[in-house]
Amino acid sequence: MKNTELEQSLGQHRDAVYLLLRKYRDAGKPFLLRSDIVAVLEEFCDSEIGAPLRNTPVYQLLHAAQEAFFRDSEMYLDVRWRVSRRTFWQLHCEHLSVREISVSRFLRSKEQIVEPQANYDAVLEIDLQPFERGFPRLRDARSIGQGVEFLNRHLSNRLFQELDNGGQRLFEFLRLHRVQGQQLMLNSSIADLAALQEALQEADEVLAKRPQDGQWADVAAEMAKLGFEAGWGKTIDRARETMGFLSDILEAPGPESIARFLGRLPMVFTIAILSPHGYFAQSGVLGRPDTGGQVVYILDQVRALEEEMYDFIERQGLEVEPQIVVLTRLIPDAEGTTCTQRLEPIAGTRNARILRVPFRNETGEVIPHFISRFDIWPYLERFAGECSREMVAELGQRPDFIIGNYSDGNLVASMLAHRMGVTQCNIAHALEKSKYLYSDLYWKEHEDEHHFACQYTADLIAMNTADFIIASTYQEIAGTSDTVGQYESYQAYTMPDLYRVVYGIDVFDPKFNIVSPGADPRVFFPYSQTEHRSDEMRDIVAELVHGDSVEEARGRLAGKKKPMLLAMSRVDYIKNISGLVQWYAESDTLQKEANLVIVGGHPKAEPGGDEEGEQLRRIHGLLDEHQLDERVRWIPMQTDKHIVGELYRYTADFRGAFVQPALFEAFGLTVVEAMGSGLPTFATCYGGPLETIVDGVSGFHIDPNQGATAAQKMADFLAQCRDNPGHWEQLSRGGLTRIEQHYTWKLYANRLMKLARIYGFWKYISNMERAETTRYLEMFYTLMYRRLADAANGSKAEEVSGEET
């Protein structure tokens, strides 16, 4: 939008705009969110005086604004016209003049609202855009999250044209591959690229004369004389096909031929997965502080990756034992868990294990007690160094591929990958910046408890150094037309008196890929598969829900044949379990249709003074006030996933539904688990479930900010199912179909391993390491992150702000 259009619109509707701006000021908020801006705008445009303003350039500007604030006589607007396309505007409230301003000026003005006395000229500005010039970028927002496809299209055309010695580098890349002392793919008999092309033709002629279902072992000696070693395929047919893919690349490289060939390359035999925080173990830990879905995710991920690696290695005709290690923290005071053990085999795998490394203080002494994920920053650099040594000792070599998890694991993965020259993948799980409103702007208020300055600095470094990033959903990267994505929120932000980011990350970067996880099919299978269900497990769950022997539970359901609404999560503000209880308490219609079963927290424990304690008190208060103990059953969080799986199925037996009422949910693994169990699901429209569920087909979206509407939607569904049981079956089947087609660990592992091979290839062939960006971030790490990490070790926010930084 041009300034001239806005100036003309302001001139035509001067009185209306002036009154509208008065309404915004009268809201009395230091910062107006999009919901505030649009609500006031729509209400005003519904009035007689405001009606002519609708659909004008001024209306369009305000309707696209994500944020606004007033400073003196000026209104500042952060306008997001579409995904990741933002402009910043300054509107003078008296003169009614408008102009576009730089992101730096906008952020600086924003800082002055929070820290009016700070020295803004001395604040460090982070701008990574100059380092990204010339690097390929997606242009269509619909392609965000499909980075590998774009990268193949873009770089395949340059392979033999623009890249220096592209063909020769491809040849050298193929000769690199060895495993456990065994040469793979090519041997020294093939001296150069021309010899490779000739050898491929000779090999094809030889293999064409052999039975196509024969084994590589039958021709291995003959192929070795031509320069080819194992790794092309187990059967002659597969090996010949793989060689054909390479011939196609050498003849005329294209994205499809490169993807097909790289999908066959034996490149990854060892994987290191980083997850430092929390109690990482296989049993007895879920529900402990900082220990939840991420642990389940990684353990399921490991099993799926190992199975994929074994299958791939077998298909390529190799005899190699793949190795996966999960590196986490060793906790001496582990409260009866296995977190004291250095090494722990992972159940359900052949050769994967948890490798635990302790945190140490400045003098090298082991830290014995649990440390919150918000307080671990001072220990990570030393932890990374010890992980490097322990990992190489355990694997016998450096890993072929490193995966980071959450902010701390991603930072450690970045250190290790950079040190070892290994391909790195990041998985955020949840970026705290999106959870805690204005936690960047008011970072000082959070610093003593959360150390967000450390965390957001670590995020910025890790996401820019990763070779590729996987997200569970599109929204995690780029949001929706109305909401900013989790990663997108790092594009531009400020932490007053510390630093401001004018260009932090670009969601159009081809490093972003969507790879959605699944649920363990051995545990979360449909309720209708009665042959796999245990009578003993069903009895345990029946006692949990309807029995009298569970001392830790609250409530005893009176209507035992009634459908149930099941909710299961941690009891914290974001998960909004207390909100669900309030919706239920205030809806007589919903109470008539179903009982409510809550699984989470510790109902009989004395609430503490933390966030969980506050939520526990609120739930108890609602149950007391509305006398719901015969309609609500509240049982403690269940750490045995087999019980959790049967809870979903038991609820389905009663033709109930699962409810996920979170204010925001990055992905929502419980949603996938419930749908995979055949249980119709109602889930928040904010975050991943908006993509997981097709509303009305495979489940339902609910707005956690509209509790009465959500309650009525659930009541209407249950009433319809009561009158027409086929409707419940239809939604159940819809959820199962959705999961089978898009959310399985088999699909996940296959895609992730392909990404590792393709990004590893292009990292070697082209300048994807982004050396300039890396050097810039090394300086940022040294001068900023280390100072923040040191300050997080018991000091206050003032010590890391101002001129000292």
Side-chain angles (χ1 to χ4, degrees), residues 195-209:
L196 173 59
Q197 289 177 298
E198 184 176 341
L200 285 168
Q201 292 178 12
E202 291 184 43
D204 186 66
E205 292 172 3
V206 171
L207 295 176
K209 298 174 184 178

Side-chain angles (χ1 to χ4, degrees), residues 682-793:
F682 292 80
T684 179
C685 63
Y686 296 110
L690 189 63
E691 294 174 43
T692 309
I693 291 173
V694 179
D695 191 46
V697 177
S698 56
F700 299 95
H701 299 142
I702 53 175
D703 186 341
N705 299 308
Q706 303 293 329
T709 303
Q712 190 60 50
K713 192 170 187 177
M714 289 183 266
D716 290 344
F717 168 73
L718 292 167
Q720 188 174 355
C721 294
R722 174 166 40 80
D723 297 336
N724 176 19
H727 185 59
W728 189 95
E729 299 284 352
Q730 181 182 345
L731 265 294
S732 174
R733 286 194 301 271
L736 286 168
T737 301
R738 181 74 175 165
I739 296 304
E740 289 166 2
Q741 292 178 349
H742 299 282
Y743 299 95
T744 71
W745 280 112
K746 185 174 181 62
L747 292 171
Y748 173 100
N750 181 269
R751 179 161 171 80
L752 181 54
M753 294 304 292
K754 284 181 179 176
L755 292 175
R757 290 190 284 270
I758 292 172
Y759 279 93
F761 170 76
W762 286 121
K763 181 176 182 176
Y764 181 87
I765 293 292
S766 67
N767 181 32
M768 274 186 57
E769 291 192 84
R770 312 188 200 193
E772 299 88 351
T773 305
T774 300
R775 294 296 290 169
Y776 182 88
L777 292 169
E778 284 175 356
M779 180 178 66
F780 187 48
Y781 176 92
T782 301
L783 299 180
M784 180 60 69
Y785 174 80
R786 275 187 181 151
R787 183 185 295 273
L788 292 169
D790 288 344
N793 195 9

Side-chain angles (χ1 to χ4, degrees), residues 182-203:
Q182 178 187 0
Q183 181 66 40
L184 304 179
M185 306 303 287
L186 303 180
N187 63 36
S188 58
S189 299
I190 301 177
D192 54 33
L193 189 63
L196 173 59
Q197 289 177 298
E198 184 176 341
L200 285 168
Q201 292 178 12
E202 291 184 43

Side-chain angles (χ1 to χ4, degrees), residues 621-634:
L622 287 164
L623 297 180
D624 292 339
E625 179 185 352
H626 296 273
Q627 299 179 358
L628 293 173
D629 281 325
E630 291 188 351
R631 296 180 179 182
V632 176
R633 175 74 159 182
W634 182 9

Side-chain angles (χ1 to χ4, degrees), residues 175-454:
R175 292 187 62 176
L176 285 175
H177 297 292
R178 299 174 62 86
V179 60
Q180 298 175 4
Q182 178 187 0
Q183 181 66 40
L184 304 179
M185 306 303 287
L186 303 180
N187 63 36
S188 58
S189 299
I190 301 177
D192 54 33
L193 189 63
L196 173 59
Q197 289 177 298
E198 184 176 341
L200 285 168
Q201 292 178 12
E202 291 184 43
D204 186 66
E205 292 172 3
V206 171
L207 295 176
K209 298 174 184 178
R210 297 297 187 108
Q212 296 304 289
D213 59 355
Q215 303 294 299
W216 174 268
D218 300 335
V219 296
E222 191 172 2
M223 289 294 102
K225 291 177 182 177
L226 293 176
F228 298 102
E229 298 293 340
W232 296 91
K234 181 179 181 180
T235 64
I236 289 174
D237 178 59
R238 186 175 176 86
R240 190 181 176 202
E241 188 178 47
T242 306
M243 290 180 177
F245 294 158
L246 179 57
S247 295
D248 291 343
I249 294 172
L250 297 176
E251 183 68 27
E256 293 82 11
S257 57
I258 286 177
R260 285 195 301 265
F261 179 65
L262 294 179
R264 297 281 181 88
L265 266 186
M267 292 171 57
V268 180
F269 301 98
T270 57
I271 300 176
I273 299 174
L274 275 299
S275 182
H277 75 262
Y279 290 87
F280 195 102
Q282 299 177 78
S283 62
V285 295
L286 296 183
R288 288 176 177 270
D290 299 338
T291 309
Q294 183 172 314
V295 173
V296 176
Y297 177 108
I298 293 172
L299 291 173
D300 287 344
Q301 174 196 56
V302 167
R303 296 183 185 102
L305 287 176
E306 188 191 68
E307 184 176 348
E308 170 65 24
M309 291 168 77
Y310 270 109
D311 288 348
F312 177 84
I313 288 168
E314 196 271 337
R315 290 194 301 270
Q316 293 310 113
L318 300 173
E319 294 182 1
V320 178
E321 289 289 323
Q323 298 188 79
I324 302 177
V325 293
V326 178
L327 287 134
T328 188
R329 185 192 164 203
L330 186 147
I331 309 174
D333 296 345
E335 299 182 1
T337 71
T338 57
C339 295
T340 57
Q341 298 176 15
R342 176 184 176 273
L343 209 60
E344 180 182 350
I346 295 177
T349 71
R350 299 191 227 176
N351 205 28
R353 58 268 199 204
I354 301 168
L355 175 61
R356 297 188 179 89
V357 177
F359 283 175
R360 298 182 186 273
N361 62 20
E362 299 89 339
T363 60
E365 296 173 322
V366 172
I367 307 293
H369 55 272
F370 170 82
I371 298 175
S372 162
R373 72 184 190 276
F374 296 120
D375 297 324
I376 64 175
W377 308 105
Y379 309 103
L380 293 182
E381 187 168 337
R382 183 187 286 267
F383 177 76
E386 289 204 34
C387 280
S388 177
R389 292 188 292 273
E390 292 280 345
M391 176 172 46
V392 171
E394 183 62 29
L395 295 174
Q397 62 177 73
R398 69 177 189 178
D400 299 313
F401 180 37
I402 295 178
I403 303 172
N405 292 275
Y406 190 69
S407 301
D408 55 343
N410 288 332
L411 182 65
V412 175
S414 296
M415 297 181 203
L416 292 172
H418 179 57
R419 187 178 301 170
M420 296 178 167
V422 175
T423 302
Q424 175 202 350
C425 163
N426 279 4
I427 307 173
H429 294 280
L431 292 166
E432 301 291 348
K433 192 167 171 295
S434 302
K435 289 184 180 181
Y436 293 85
L437 186 63
Y438 291 128
S439 54
D440 49 0
L441 196 59
Y442 293 98
W443 68 275
K444 288 185 180 180
E445 296 180 12
H446 293 276
E447 196 60 14
D448 291 345
E449 183 177 359
H450 293 112
H451 304 299
F452 284 144
C454 246

Side-chain angles (χ1 to χ4, degrees), residues 39-198:
V40 171
L41 177 65
E42 293 299 331
E43 182 181 2
F44 183 74
C45 288
D46 285 339
S47 67
E48 183 177 351
I49 192 170
L53 198 61
R54 189 178 293 278
N55 297 326
T56 64
V58 172
Y59 173 92
Q60 292 168 9
L61 181 80
L62 291 168
H63 200 274
Q66 287 292 322
E67 182 184 34
F69 61 88
F70 289 90
R71 182 168 167 264
D72 300 328
S73 58
E74 294 165 329
M75 184 183 194
Y76 291 81
L77 297 162
D78 175 355
V79 180
R80 184 176 180 263
W81 298 106
R82 54 189 184 278
V83 169
S84 198
R85 302 302 190 197
R86 297 163 70 182
T87 55
F88 303 89
W89 298 81
Q90 182 186 57
L91 175 61
H92 200 287
C93 300
E94 295 177 3
H95 303 153
L96 292 188
S97 59
V98 65
R99 62 170 177 158
E100 187 175 350
I101 60 175
S102 67
V103 57
S104 179
R105 178 166 185 148
F106 176 84
L107 293 175
R108 178 171 176 160
S109 298
K110 191 175 179 181
E111 292 161 13
Q112 290 173 318
I113 301 296
V114 179
E115 294 274 355
Q117 307 302 322
N119 181 359
Y120 298 97
D121 294 326
V123 173
L124 173 67
E125 280 198 354
I126 304 299
D127 184 0
L128 295 171
Q129 189 169 28
F131 300 102
E132 303 299 318
R133 289 174 187 153
F135 197 84
R137 284 288 186 278
L138 291 85
R139 295 189 178 184
D140 189 342
R142 293 172 298 180
S143 298
I144 290 172
Q146 302 172 35
V148 72
E149 290 82 4
F150 170 83
L151 202 64
N152 272 341
R153 287 195 303 271
H154 182 86
L155 293 181
S156 62
N157 296 326
R158 300 175 54 201
L159 184 57
F160 293 107
Q161 298 173 15
E162 300 176 35
L163 295 176
D164 294 336
N165 300 314
Q168 183 61 30
R169 289 184 66 78
L170 170 60
F171 170 70
E172 292 169 356
F173 179 76
L174 292 175
R175 292 187 62 176
L176 285 175
H177 297 292
R178 299 174 62 86
V179 60
Q180 298 175 4
Q182 178 187 0
Q183 181 66 40
L184 304 179
M185 306 303 287
L186 303 180
N187 63 36
S188 58
S189 299
I190 301 177
D192 54 33
L193 189 63
L196 173 59
Q197 289 177 298
E198 184 176 341

